[in-house]
Amino acid sequence: MSQQLFRNTTIYSPIDNGQPRVGKAQGKLAQFQKGALLVEDGLIMAMGDEEEVLVAAKGAGELQEVDCGGRCMVPGFVDPHTHMCFATLRESEFALRIDGTPYLEILSQGGGILSSVRAVAAASDDELYDNTLRHVQKALSLGTTSLEIKSGYGLDTENELKMLGVIGKVAADTPLDIVATFLGAHAIPEQYKENPDAFITLIIEEMLPQVKKQGIARFCDVFCETGVFSIDQSRRLLKAAQAMGLGVKIHADEVNDLGGAELAAELGACSADHLLAASETNIKAMSTAGVIATLLPATAYSLRKEYARARLMIENNVAVALATDCNPGSSFTESMQFVIGLAVLNMQMTPAEALTGATLNSAYTLNMADRVGSLDRGKQADFLLLEGDSPVILAYHAGVSSVAGVYKKGQKVN
Ligand code: NIG
Ligand code: FE
């Protein structure tokens, strides 16, 4: 059997001990100054000091050596929260926002998410596929080897299924591991404005059964926010999704503190996402329930909001994951390196904590940590070679990519 030996590299990776890294452990990385990675059939056979890895390689058949040129190696990024499936950009809306119109006001006037909904309805499957693929390929070139993509610009059965179908096709056509999340409850369609409860009923009775039957999403999400869906509506939807076997996630406390984090704790959600306005009480509830906080600092940056309180979360033993939230409204970036930079400089996370958040902890929010998220034996050989001595470069080298090579299952894909 042919094996690959990646050598002449310094390896940095969180170590997976079977659960997300919390508290001080989030900031601890394994480091091998003269490291090597042994790969067979796309899986990691050994990782560590070169001499020890060579012992593991002995006796094997053909050994292909790859000189990493002294570059440092980290796990591929796992981006666990994106809205990368959309049809058109919203540049004019961005111009309105930087002129001072609030994000939720644009939505309440029928713009924002609702304008992306109109664009998806007007786009053919091929157009939507081409646009989605472009953003996914951009993410891959910037070091993302696994990601989540949400629906949510459909808001009716036909277009929600169309989005999930396109996401599935992109997943099949690209080397990344891509998981889909059903976000039918992303905004209230115009015709349900006076009766959002009836829209939740439609999602539960018509959309969810189709999503389940076709097996095209692993998670269900909801935008729980003032003027969008209430705590009670969110709870009703997510409980129905759980009863159908889907994992649940919540856009929680993004702009206002409605108690979304507490709802995530009550339901045992796979993650609570955003949390810019989450209260200390609700952060403690997440800690007790073991809910992972997925933080999206590029959204705070783009909306010019206060950042989520990552330090308070880490001090309270809440596992922190990081994601781009890539979407045409509140956060238009595919770059996990940019997110890591913001996490370090504006949320006071250490570079090591941020790397764990962007890899292992984010893999846990997607129930994918058995395969990806760290360079542990048995996982896929998904890794990056960086132009720099350590993961510090990811926060230090601002606004550009430090990713010199992207490997998925041991193959160079960028
Ligand atoms: O996570 N908050 C809701 N959804 C996205 C924004 C989507 C959009 O503006 O198109 C978010 O910020
Ligand atoms: Fe989002």
Side-chain angles (χ1 to χ4, degrees), residues 165-247:
V166 164
I167 295 166
K169 194 158 181 323
V170 171
D173 293 350
T174 52
L176 297 91
D177 280 272
I178 296 179
V179 296
T181 293
F182 169 60
L183 178 56
H186 195 191
I188 305 168
E190 215 60 56
Q191 64 274 31
Y192 286 93
K193 227 174 166 174
E194 303 310 317
N195 194 0
D197 281 314
F199 184 57
I200 294 288
T201 302
L202 176 83
I203 297 176
I204 293 174
E205 292 182 357
E206 196 178 295
M207 298 189 207
L208 265 180
Q210 282 295 329
V211 169
K212 173 74 187 156
K213 190 167 143 217
Q214 297 184 28
I216 47 179
R218 262 192 244 163
F219 302 97
C220 179
D221 195 346
V222 57
F223 189 11
C224 180
E225 185 55 71
T226 310
V228 196
F229 297 101
S230 67
I231 289 284
D232 284 347
Q233 288 158 349
S234 303
R235 181 188 288 109
R236 186 156 78 90
L237 169 65
L238 296 180
K239 280 193 153 180
Q242 281 182 321
M244 288 188 195
L246 294 176

Side-chain angles (χ1 to χ4, degrees), residues 81-83 150 183 186 221 251 254 273-274 296 299 325 327 330:
H81 179 141
T82 86
H83 308 254
K150 300 173 196 297
L183 178 56
H186 195 191
D221 195 346
H251 279 69
E254 178 175 351
D273 301 34
H274 285 291
L296 308 120
T299 311
D325 197 19
N327 74 75
S330 64

Side-chain angles (χ1 to χ4, degrees), residues 107-141:
L107 177 62
S108 73
Q109 288 167 3
I113 294 171
L114 293 173
S115 89
S116 287
V117 170
R118 290 187 289 275
V120 163
S124 68
D125 286 21
D126 285 350
E127 285 165 343
L128 194 54
Y129 172 87
D130 289 345
N131 273 303
T132 307
L133 185 65
R134 210 173 36 249
H135 299 297
V136 168
Q137 280 170 339
K138 173 69 81 182
L140 180 68
S141 73

Side-chain angles (χ1 to χ4, degrees), residues 293-353:
T294 297
L295 304 185
L296 308 120
T299 311
Y301 169 82
S302 175
L303 296 181
R304 293 169 159 160
K305 299 267 182 207
E306 292 281 320
Y307 287 77
R309 292 184 286 172
R311 286 257 59 88
L312 187 66
M313 293 177 196
I314 292 172
E315 276 157 24
N316 278 284
N317 289 321
V318 172
V320 172
L322 294 171
T324 60
D325 197 19
C326 181
N327 74 75
S330 64
S331 176
F332 185 37
T333 179
E334 297 90 349
S335 171
M336 285 295 279
Q337 177 166 355
F338 177 56
V339 166
I340 288 171
L342 291 176
V344 169
L345 288 165
N346 292 338
M347 296 200 301
Q348 285 73 47
M349 290 174 74
T350 66
E353 287 169 342

